[in-house]
Amino acid sequence: MAKISAAEVNKLRKATGAGMMDCKNALVEAEGDFDKAIEVLRKKGQKVAAKRADRDSSEGAAIAKVNGDNTVGVAIVLGCETDFVGKNENFVALANDIAAIALEQDSKDALLAADFGGMTVADKLIEQTGVIGEKLEINAFERVEAPYVSAYVHINKIAALVGFSSKVATADELGKDLAMQVASMGATTLSYKDFDPAFVASETEARIAAIEKDNEELGRLGKTLKNVPQYISMSQLTEEVLAKAEADAKAELAAEGKPEKIWDKILPGKMDRFVSDNTTLDQEQCLLDQNFIKNEKINVAKYVESHGDAQVTGFKRVTVG
């Protein structure tokens, strides 16, 4: 049997992340051949991976990276089985290494087939499954390309990317703020203009029914009822709808005995309230229509406008779990 030195064991540990005894045993089995020892550990990983194939890899780490000239960004989730492993320093380092490789790939499949120190990323995950003892897989892969891309990661659980049409003088501030907005508020689309009319109609019916049901219980308890909106998206607020809302507001002011000469000071606020009450879907799901998290008096669109001519071209968000 070949004599295995501590230096050889340490070299294999650094290369694979495996434990000391696993590395020693692998080198013994490989009769001191370093490459064969790596293969021994990989085969061990394959066996562990096969046994844990039906496990749920709902924990892990979310990572976002942007290339050197801020024109490409990627966000991935490296999944594992437990939060304990997901927070492990070596596991997070592995996730960062894979995210760096992902910057050069255009899909999850391409990432898995990419080189990772002489093996594919897919093989590296199998190897590390044997090292860590948990199922590992890429649970999410998103990519954004634009003239300027920003990224934000929240405690390795949420990662976000935002693309802009151009770089502005305050690009770093604007980019970070919007990436934080995406991470925090979970928008699903850029603007209400992206909604399918059938989806809006279905969602309107469902939301109104839910509020009316809640009001039944609130009424029974003698509590204040929720406002039941007529609409839920700006896409529904046609010129005719807004004209009727303004006419109704004027009629209300007249009924209250407000002098007509002061109506122009009151109407804007009433119309803003009407729009706010009837665009709840936009405020929840549309990035540009959400209230800006650092100043809820304005929406994201207004905040972007305040930074110059750059426009948001797209965004992506990945989460652990």
Side-chain angles (χ1 to χ4, degrees), residues 221-236:
L221 297 173
K223 296 184 177 180
T224 302
L225 303 184
K226 296 179 180 179
N227 175 61
V228 181
Q230 295 174 266
Y231 310 100
I232 62 170
S233 174
M234 195 68 194
S235 62
Q236 298 168 302

Side-chain angles (χ1 to χ4, degrees), residues 264-276:
D264 61 344
K265 296 180 180 180
I266 304 174
L267 276 172
K270 282 186 171 291
M271 291 303 295
D272 285 347
R273 178 61 184 272
F274 174 82
V275 171
S276 179

Side-chain angles (χ1 to χ4, degrees), residues 14-70:
K14 288 182 177 180
T16 64
M20 183 182 296
M21 288 308 299
D22 286 336
C23 289
K24 183 176 181 180
N25 291 336
L27 284 164
V28 169
E29 184 176 337
E31 298 181 339
D33 188 301
F34 185 81
D35 291 334
K36 286 184 179 179
I38 290 179
E39 186 62 27
V40 168
L41 290 173
R42 190 177 305 166
K43 287 180 178 179
K44 176 187 175 184
Q46 289 173 338
K47 292 178 181 179
V48 175
K51 290 179 180 179
R52 308 189 77 82
D54 61 346
R55 297 296 183 98
D56 184 11
S57 60
S58 59
E59 295 295 339
I63 305 294
K65 285 189 180 295
V66 177
N67 67 352
D69 59 3
N70 287 84

